[in-house]
């Protein structure tokens, strides 16, 4: 007798399967595999430069090398030259133009905080001490980190070799490569702007923000012959594996093929090449946050693997919190100008949105800064202009809703300003301009934004809100209510999974996916259990191992929409394999039936002649039954030709209080309502939404990496001075969902949750601050000095 | 500079006496993680700003990254492993799971240890800045404002604060706090 599940699991609020491990500290994050090694494990510590531009003229390691316990000091003078081969196709997470920083392969300094040496010692304390003894002298050249000044320079032409403002190169050649075109024009936006009844013209600034997962980035690497194994804090083990293989020039073909063929199932890959073992393996079962910082594979990971190879022993390297500001990317500082025009009824006539965003001198980081503007509201005339400004900073990277978060903030603040220019309720303005298709005319797959507006308005008490700003006072506080729409593209990429049904009545499901916190473990377990008709505790889902079937990047809110359908398909393939065994087995009640006539219902195989449980058939077979499946588009769904534009939609309502005496703003309550298609696990979907809101409040009120204009270095590079929201800062937050499964996107109908709630929060908060005080904050964060 | 010699100390960790020969520069945090393979205590900032490394030192919560291990000779340290393990969770740990008071889980052990200490502090009448009248009764009541104030030394970048508050509320009602 085997156990089956007779009620649905998908859609039911479900506790995390990783919960007991996490609350007892037993979930093992990358740096914590130290326990497997003992004293053989050496410790690496980085040395970074203060200078922001120039060339290293000398580097004195003598004292450091003589310090107790030091094994070796690597600099650009003695580090081995590594191949760092170019991939056949760069993944989306890597800039398409420029070259990644190759640590210790050059004497050139691009930014303050760049790694110039790594000290390896027997113990962490010895390495930390010795790192302070390395003396670096840089022949400095003038550095530029001033986005305000730089963005006003004339645009680059090919004759100029000094960094200037430029349109993104690759998208200019082929916008379809990244989906981030430099210039898009629809209709005649200038003429429409000039002749409209109501206009607003705003300059918005969003300062540098830093991802700051609480787990610092960390790597443990070791070699056995030519085989490299790495524990690395990453959101994509397959990409880390690929990048490490390219860096060291090892057995590139089969690894490229795995990524290139984007998950042709692993067996097939091995069949083609006759390869039995991979030569690089990345194992990261737990990732302590990331919010984008783990998409790419960063210099310290290569350095750790290099040191391990040169020293022929395992090496562990953990970034310090200060290094987390300058080693693993950040949300780039950007300036935007938004012009909106509407007719007397509040119908948009023109939208002109320009953005200037910093990037590094060595790579062209692009993000979806203006993409939201091209789909958010119905308008006959529109122009978006996207420009990059190379500065002496590290290459920025994705931070939760990269681009959308900054761009939609400016758009939504401008929408609020336009409502007040017209004298119209800001929610009504949004309702009036609710779009059915994007500016290219592609219809949305499934959109329930109007319902979200209704529900959110009810939950926050919008109907009682007086229109005029500075009209709600409670004691010493001005009180305000603000709203923002929120949008995020629904993406999907090819993913693979394997399902193995065991004679003991349990199932093992694998995919090289990640779980940085959204609950991939529990949601995939739910999908598998639901598909197999098994109770949750009979299914074990594992991820974070590059030897598992390929998964796309754990970012862009697409893990559920990509890996979920692969898990479902792998389970269905395993069920089919069992059916074929059963109909051929005289001992089965299904013997002799056509496999096509047998179906699975609540864990039972039902055929014309009888029924038995799926796992009873597996048990009788006596051997595991395994199947793999791979499905989804080869490129990001958003870049594929389609009849539909796929997005998620929602709104965020915020109630704030601003102390009339001190100007201190506090968020009192937030209601987030999102249409994300099918919600697989309401528990974790709500947590993701709440987490996105918390990060959005931080962006609105306090987060800012302050760049010292003289030293070109972040002046507040600690968590004490870079203010992330604390518990006391976090208000009551309601997360609601509307809508229906979006089966146009994938067989589960799920569109992903992680990023959409971050997008609208900052704008809802500053719009609420305007309502409370009458002060329109255009440069984030909205600190109290801007409200006095 | 002559190489630092090691210092011998005895620290009782989760009830077990550990005799350790320590580099005097080693923090209690690194000693737990690298010396004793107790990785439940997390390193988030190493500067006392994030709270991920919170442990109980003779019953009081401290940031283990700011404590030199050699100063703990003869003292008792309780880490998250000493509060409860997966097959035997402390009621507060169970409440964190029930209310989804975490996402990535990295700050969670620090939150749990802080929470256990908080319940004891409030029960013993230690005030916080929320208690304007500094009355023991007010401290013991543990309103949401009290909980959030007293948990604000522990940053959760995943933003699970409402769940953390709910877990603390539940635990405050169901368990009789005792000094660890």
């Amino acid at each position: 007798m085997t156990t089956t599940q007779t009620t649905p699991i998908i859609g039911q609020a479900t506790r995390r399967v990783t919960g007991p491990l996490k609350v007892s500290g037993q979930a093992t994050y990358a740096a914590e595999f130290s326990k497997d090694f003992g004293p053989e494990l050496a410790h690496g510590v980085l040395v970074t430069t203060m200078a922001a531009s120039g060339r290293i003229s000398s580097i004195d390691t003598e004292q450091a090398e003589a310090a107790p316990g030091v094994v070796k000091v690597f600099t650009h003078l003695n580090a081995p030259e590594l191949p760092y081969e170019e991939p056949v196709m760069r993944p989306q997470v890597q800039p398409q133009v420029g070259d990644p920083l190759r640590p210790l392969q050059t004497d050139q300094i691009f930014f303050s905080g760049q790694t110039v040496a790594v000290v390896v010692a027997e113990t962490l304390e010895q390495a930390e001490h010795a790192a302070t003894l390395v003396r670096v002298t840089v022949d400095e050249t003038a550095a530029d980190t001033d986005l305000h000044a730089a963005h006003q320079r004339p645009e680059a032409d090919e004759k100029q070799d000094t960094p200037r403002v430029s349109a993104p190169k690759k998208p200019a050649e082929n916008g379809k490569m990244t989906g981030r075109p430099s210039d898009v024009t629809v209709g005649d936006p200038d003429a429409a702007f000039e002749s409209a009844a109501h206009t607003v013209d705003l300059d918005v600034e969003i300062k540098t923000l830093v991802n700051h997962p609480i787990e610092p980035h960390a790597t443990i690497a070791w070699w056995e012959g030519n085989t490299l194994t790495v524990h690395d804090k990453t959101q994509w083990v397959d990409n880390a594996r690929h990048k490490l293989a390219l860096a060291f020039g090892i057995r590139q073909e089969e690894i490229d093929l795995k990524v290139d063929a984007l998950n042709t199932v692993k067996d097939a890959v091995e069949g083609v090449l006759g390869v039995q073992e991979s030569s690089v393996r990345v194992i990261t079962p737990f990732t302590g946050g990331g919010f984008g910082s783990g998409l790419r594979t960063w210099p310290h990971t290569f350095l750790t693997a290099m040191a391990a190879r040169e020293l022929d022993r395992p090496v562990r390297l953990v970034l310090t919190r200060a290094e987390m500001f300058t080693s693993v990317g950040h949300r780039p500082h950007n300036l935007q100008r938004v012009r909106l025009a509407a007719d007397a009824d509040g119908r948009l006539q023109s939208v002109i949105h320009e953005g200037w965003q910093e990037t590094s001198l060595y790579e062209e980081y692009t993000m979806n800064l203006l993409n939201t503007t091209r789909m958010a509201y119905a308008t006959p005339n529109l122009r978006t202009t996207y420009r990059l400004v190379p500065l002496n900073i590290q290459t920025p990277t994705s931070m939760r809703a990269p681009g959308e978060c900054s761009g939609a903030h400016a758009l939504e603040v401008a929408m609020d300003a336009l409502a007040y220019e017209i004298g119209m309720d800001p929610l009504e303005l949004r309702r009036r301009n609710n779009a059915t298709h994007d500016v290219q005319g592609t219809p949305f797959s499934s959109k329930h934004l109007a319902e979200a507006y209704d529900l959110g308005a009810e939950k926050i008490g919008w109907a009682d809100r007086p229109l005029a700003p500075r009209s709600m006072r409670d004691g010493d506080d001005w009180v305000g209510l603000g709203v923002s729409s929120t949008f995020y593209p629904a993406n999907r990429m090819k993913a693979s999974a394997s399902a193995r049904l065991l004679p003991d009545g349990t199932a093992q499901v694998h995919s090289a996916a990640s779980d940085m916190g959204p609950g991939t473990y529990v949601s995939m377990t739910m999908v598998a259990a639901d598909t197999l008709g098994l109770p949750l505790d009979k299914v074990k889902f594992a991820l974070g191992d590059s030897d598992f079937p390929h998964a796309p990047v754990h970012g862009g809110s697409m893990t559920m929409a990509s890996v979920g359908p692969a898990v479902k398909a792998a389970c269905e393939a395993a069920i089919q394999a069992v059916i074929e065994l059963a109909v051929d087995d005289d001992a089965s009640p299904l013997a002799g039936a056509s496999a096509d006539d047998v179906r699975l219902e609540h864990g039972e195989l039902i055929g014309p002649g009888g029924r038995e449980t799926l796992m009873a058939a597996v048990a009788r077979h006596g051997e595991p039954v395994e199947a793999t499946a791979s499905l989804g588009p080869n490129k990001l769904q958003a870049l594929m030709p389609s009849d539909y534009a796929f997005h998620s939609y929602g709104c965020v309502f915020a109630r704030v209080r601003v102390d009339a005496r001190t100007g201190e703003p506090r968020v009192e309550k937030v209601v987030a309502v999102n249409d994300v298609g099918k919600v697989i696990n309401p528990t974790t979907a709500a947590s993701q939404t709440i987490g996105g809101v918390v990060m959005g409040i931080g962006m609105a009120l306090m987060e800012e990496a302050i760049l010292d204009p003289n030293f070109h270095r972040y002046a507040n590079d600690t968590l004490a001075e870079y203010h992330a929201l604390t518990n006391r800062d976090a208000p009551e937050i309601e997360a609601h969902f509307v809508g229906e499964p979006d089966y146009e996107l994938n067989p589960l109908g799920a569109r992903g949750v992680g990023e959409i709630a971050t997008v609208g929060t900052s704008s809802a908060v500053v719009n609420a601050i305007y309502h409370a005080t009458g002060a329109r904050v255009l440069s984030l964060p909205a600190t109290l000095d801007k409200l006095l | 500079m002559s190489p630092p010699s090691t210092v011998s100390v005895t620290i009782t960790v989760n009830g077990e006496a550990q005799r350790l020969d320590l580099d005097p520069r080693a923090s209690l945090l690194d000693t737990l993680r690298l010396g004793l393979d107790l990785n439940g205590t997390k390193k988030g900032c190493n500067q006392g700003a994030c709270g991920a490394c919170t442990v109980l030192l003779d019953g009081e919560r401290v940031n283990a990254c700011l404590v030199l291990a050699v100063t703990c000779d003869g003292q008792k340290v309780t880490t998250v492993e000493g509060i409860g393990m997966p097959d035997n969770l402390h009621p507060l740990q169970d409440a964190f799971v029930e209310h989804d008071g975490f996402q990535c889980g990295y700050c969670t052990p620090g939150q749990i240890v802080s929470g256990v200490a908080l319940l004891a502090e409030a029960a013993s009448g230690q005030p916080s800045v929320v208690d304007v009248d500094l009355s023991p009764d007010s401290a013991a009541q543990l309103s949401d404002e009290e909980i959030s104030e007293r948990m604000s030394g522990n940053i959760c970048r995943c933003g699970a604060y409402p769940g953390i508050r709910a877990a603390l509320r539940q635990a405050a009602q169901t368990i009789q706090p005792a000094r660890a």
Side-chain angles (χ1 to χ4, degrees):
Chain A
M1 189 64 197
T2 58
T3 323
T4 60
Q5 177 76 22
T6 55
T7 55
I9 294 173
I10 289 177
Q12 303 302 306
T14 306
R15 285 182 175 207
R16 287 170 198 266
V17 293
T18 53
L21 285 176
K22 286 183 173 179
V23 299
S24 60
Q26 301 309 296
T28 305
Y29 301 84
E32 297 167 357
F33 287 91
S34 51
K35 62 184 165 51
D36 295 348
F37 294 94
E40 198 201 351
L41 183 67
H43 296 265
V45 169
L46 300 180
V47 178
T48 60
T49 172
M50 285 295 287
S53 181
R55 289 188 180 275
I56 301 170
S57 55
S58 72
I59 186 158
D60 177 3
T61 58
E62 198 176 327
Q63 256 194 302
E65 280 162 344
V70 171
V71 180
K72 178 129 182 163
V73 180
F74 293 96
T75 69
H76 70 287
L77 298 172
N78 67 352
E81 193 177 323
L82 296 178
Y84 283 105
E85 289 164 20
E86 180 67 17
V88 174
M89 197 177 84
R90 290 186 178 189
Q92 274 278 318
V93 299
Q94 182 181 350
Q96 302 297 308
V97 175
D99 287 317
L101 204 60
R102 286 159 188 159
L104 309 192
Q105 304 283 303
T106 172
D107 61 355
Q108 198 171 352
I109 301 300
F110 296 100
F111 63 92
S112 180
Q114 185 178 326
T115 294
V116 291
V118 57
V119 176
V120 183
E122 297 293 340
T123 72
L124 179 58
E125 291 78 19
Q126 290 167 337
E128 285 174 342
H129 173 62
T132 68
L133 303 175
V134 176
R135 296 283 172 258
V136 184
T137 311
V138 174
D139 186 5
E140 287 194 54
T141 51
D144 185 3
T145 53
D146 185 346
L147 181 63
H148 284 276
H151 96 284
Q152 292 173 332
R153 287 182 203 142
E155 294 204 10
D157 62 44
E158 287 178 9
K159 290 170 196 157
Q160 294 169 337
D161 56 3
T162 49
R164 298 292 174 103
V165 177
S166 69
K169 295 181 187 72
K170 202 79 176 192
E173 292 161 16
N174 181 1
K176 286 180 180 168
M177 273 299 291
T178 62
R180 295 156 198 158
S182 53
D183 299 272
V184 173
T185 303
V186 176
D188 189 344
D190 296 301
F193 186 83
E194 292 305 323
S195 61
H198 301 284
T199 61
V200 293
D201 183 350
L202 301 181
D203 290 307
V204 174
E205 175 176 26
I206 295 166
K207 301 277 184 56
T208 299
L209 304 175
V210 186
N211 302 49
H212 281 316
I214 298 299
E215 182 203 11
H217 278 254
T219 308
I220 294 177
W222 73 100
W223 295 75
E224 289 155 296
N226 198 31
T227 296
L228 169 64
T229 309
V230 171
H231 299 296
D232 187 44
K233 180 192 172 80
T234 177
Q235 292 168 237
W236 198 5
V237 288
D238 274 343
N239 188 48
R241 173 186 194 257
H242 188 215
K243 288 296 176 300
L244 284 161
L246 290 169
F248 290 92
I250 35 176
R251 306 181 74 171
Q252 191 190 332
E253 299 84 357
E254 79 272 17
I255 289 174
D256 253 358
L257 196 62
K258 184 182 175 191
V259 173
D260 218 31
L262 278 168
N263 299 331
T264 316
V265 223
K266 198 163 168 300
D267 286 351
V269 174
E270 290 179 354
V272 170
L273 293 173
V275 173
Q276 294 308 311
E277 278 182 62
S278 309
S279 48
V280 181
R281 185 175 178 193
V282 179
I283 306 167
T284 311
F286 290 96
T287 301
F291 320 106
S293 64
L295 302 182
R296 297 187 68 185
T297 303
W298 298 104
H300 68 274
T301 301
F302 300 112
L303 277 182
T304 310
M306 180 274 290
R309 192 182 73 172
E310 295 305 300
L311 302 173
D312 195 22
R313 62 189 284 190
V315 175
R316 174 185 191 263
L317 190 150
V318 184
L319 296 187
T320 66
R321 187 50 63 177
E323 288 161 1
M324 289 288 288
F325 281 78
T326 51
S327 309
V328 292
H330 61 269
R331 194 195 295 284
H333 185 189
N334 60 81
L335 304 172
Q336 301 173 59
R337 182 181 181 193
V338 188
R339 280 171 279 176
L340 301 180
D343 65 16
D345 294 331
R347 291 197 164 70
L348 284 171
Q349 299 304 309
S350 183
V351 174
I352 304 172
H353 194 164
E354 300 161 274
W356 295 264
Q357 169 223 304
E358 66 176 8
T359 185
S360 68
L361 295 178
Y362 51 94
E363 281 180 306
E364 192 176 277
Y365 172 73
T366 61
M367 62 182 192
N368 292 347
L369 185 66
L370 306 174
N371 296 39
T372 306
T373 300
R374 294 192 293 272
M375 56 68 63
Y377 297 109
T379 177
N381 302 290
L382 168 143
R383 184 172 69 244
T384 59
T385 307
Y386 180 38
R387 293 294 180 268
L388 300 174
V389 184
L391 297 172
N392 287 97
I393 55 161
Q394 67 168 340
T395 304
T397 201
S398 297
M399 176 170 165
R400 205 170 192 166
E404 292 87 357
C405 203
S406 301
H409 174 88
L411 176 70
E412 288 294 322
V413 170
M415 284 293 281
D416 201 66
L418 180 64
Y420 279 93
E421 170 66 25
I422 300 168
M424 177 180 281
D425 179 272
L427 180 58
E428 178 56 27
L429 179 68
R430 288 171 171 83
R431 287 186 203 274
R432 257 177 223 197
N433 291 285
N434 196 353
T436 55
H437 50 79
D438 65 17
V439 290
Q440 274 83 22
T442 311
F444 301 127
S445 55
S446 169
K447 181 177 183 181
H448 295 266
L449 180 55
E451 293 161 53
Y453 288 146
D454 291 344
L455 182 59
E458 180 200 324
K459 296 291 180 186
I460 201 79
W462 190 263
D464 300 330
R465 174 190 187 269
L467 178 61
R470 215 175 172 87
S471 58
M472 288 164 66
R473 178 83 183 226
D474 180 20
D476 290 326
D477 295 335
W478 292 110
V479 180
L481 286 177
V483 65
S484 172
S485 303
T486 176
F487 307 92
Y488 193 77
N491 253 315
R492 184 187 180 194
M493 269 187 94
K494 184 168 281 185
S496 309
S498 63
R500 187 175 160 90
L501 310 183
L502 302 173
D504 68 359
T506 66
Q508 296 171 342
V509 181
H510 293 169
S511 178
S514 297
D515 186 350
M516 65 174 154
T520 314
Y521 275 106
V522 65
S523 57
M524 296 306 157
T525 307
M526 291 167 73
V527 169
D530 205 86
T531 310
L532 295 168
L534 288 176
L536 275 176
D537 64 0
K538 297 292 181 194
V539 177
K540 177 91 177 160
F541 175 76
L543 53 68
D545 184 336
S546 64
D547 277 1
F548 290 165
H550 177 84
V553 62
H554 183 44
S557 296
M558 65 178 177
T559 294
M560 194 69 245
S562 306
V563 182
V567 164
K568 184 173 174 4
C571 291
E572 286 168 348
I575 292 164
Q576 201 53 41
V578 176
I579 289 173
E580 276 158 25
L581 288 169
V583 296
D584 272 351
D585 181 353
D586 288 342
S588 168
L590 304 165
S594 159
D596 292 344
D597 294 335
V598 181
R599 68 183 196 280
L600 185 82
E601 204 171 285
H602 302 317
E604 263 197 315
L605 296 173
I606 302 171
R611 54 173 67 195
E612 67 173 331
T613 67
L614 175 72
M615 298 313 277
V618 175
R620 198 178 50 251
H621 180 59
E623 298 282 330
V625 179
E626 185 164 1
T628 56
S630 181
L631 76 166
N634 274 329
K635 288 200 295 186
L636 276 178
Q637 178 67 50
L639 303 176
M640 301 289 284
S642 173
D643 293 339
Y644 295 101
F646 295 102
H647 297 271
S648 287
Y649 318 86
C651 52
V652 181
F653 290 83
R655 186 166 71 225
V656 304
R657 306 178 81 92
V658 178
D659 191 306
R661 301 160 302 175
T662 65
E664 182 194 12
R666 297 192 71 84
V667 180
E668 192 173 37
K669 180 172 180 172
V670 171
V671 175
V673 188
N674 289 304
D675 166 16
V676 295
K678 177 71 181 175
V679 173
I680 303 298
N681 184 356
T683 299
T684 50
S687 290
Q688 278 187 278
T689 306
I690 290 166
V693 167
V694 165
M695 198 170 269
I697 296 171
M699 173 177 169
L701 297 186
M702 56 185 76
E703 290 191 36
E704 173 185 11
I706 301 165
L707 199 76
D708 182 306
N710 297 312
F711 295 102
H712 308 286
R713 199 174 168 83
Y714 296 117
N716 59 336
D717 62 352
T718 70
L719 279 181
E721 295 181 69
Y722 180 99
H723 293 157
L725 229 66
T726 67
N727 200 317
R728 187 90 196 275
D729 301 313
E732 178 191 355
I733 301 167
E734 290 183 17
H736 302 280
F737 297 97
V738 295
E740 60 191 346
D742 189 346
Y743 294 119
E744 299 293 344
L745 182 67
N746 65 62
L748 285 173
R751 287 198 300 242
V753 183
E755 282 157 302
I756 187 166
T758 314
V759 176
T761 301
S762 58
S763 35
V765 169
V766 299
N767 291 343
I769 288 173
Y770 174 77
H771 185 236
T773 65
R776 178 72 68 195
V777 177
L778 296 176
S779 176
L780 294 186
T783 45
L784 52 82
D785 51 301
K786 295 168 187 167
L787 301 175
L788 279 173
Chain B
M1 188 181 124
S2 61
S5 52
T6 57
V7 178
S8 291
V9 297
T10 301
I11 306 173
T12 301
V13 180
N14 299 329
E16 201 174 316
Q18 302 280 356
R19 187 160 172 79
L20 299 162
D21 294 318
L22 295 173
D23 184 321
R25 299 169 297 192
S27 68
L28 176 59
L29 173 59
D30 288 330
T31 301
L32 291 168
R33 284 170 68 82
L34 291 169
L36 295 170
D37 288 335
L38 289 171
N39 284 295
T41 307
K42 304 302 183 188
K43 189 183 218 172
C45 71
N46 212 31
Q47 295 172 315
C50 78
C53 64
T54 307
V55 298
L56 302 181
L57 183 58
D58 282 346
E60 303 284 342
R61 52 176 161 165
V62 297
N63 288 321
C65 71
L66 297 184
V67 177
L68 287 172
V70 291
T71 67
C72 301
D73 192 24
Q75 290 187 283
K76 291 189 178 69
V77 174
T78 303
T79 69
V80 72
E81 290 93 342
I83 285 172
M85 292 295 269
D87 54 0
N88 183 28
L89 294 179
H90 182 281
L92 180 60
Q93 291 171 315
D94 198 51
F96 263 69
V97 178
E98 182 174 343
H99 295 281
D100 213 35
F102 56 91
Q103 289 199 63
C104 81
Y106 195 79
C107 75
T108 313
Q111 304 272 2
I112 299 279
V113 176
S114 243
V116 167
L118 177 162
L119 296 174
E121 289 161 15
S124 68
Q126 289 184 35
S128 77
V129 295
V130 172
D131 313 305
V132 283
D133 58 356
L134 299 182
S135 76
D137 285 352
S138 161
Q141 278 173 11
L142 281 182
S143 64
D144 260 23
E145 202 181 4
E146 276 282 359
I147 290 170
S148 60
E149 169 63 25
R150 291 165 186 263
M151 289 300 287
S152 280
N154 294 80
I155 296 175
C156 171
R157 190 60 166 157
C158 299
Y161 297 124
I164 292 169
R165 293 197 288 260
L168 262 296
R169 265 199 312 271
Q170 175 176 311
Q173 283 162 8
T174 55
I175 60 179
Q176 202 66 24
R179 277 303 165 111

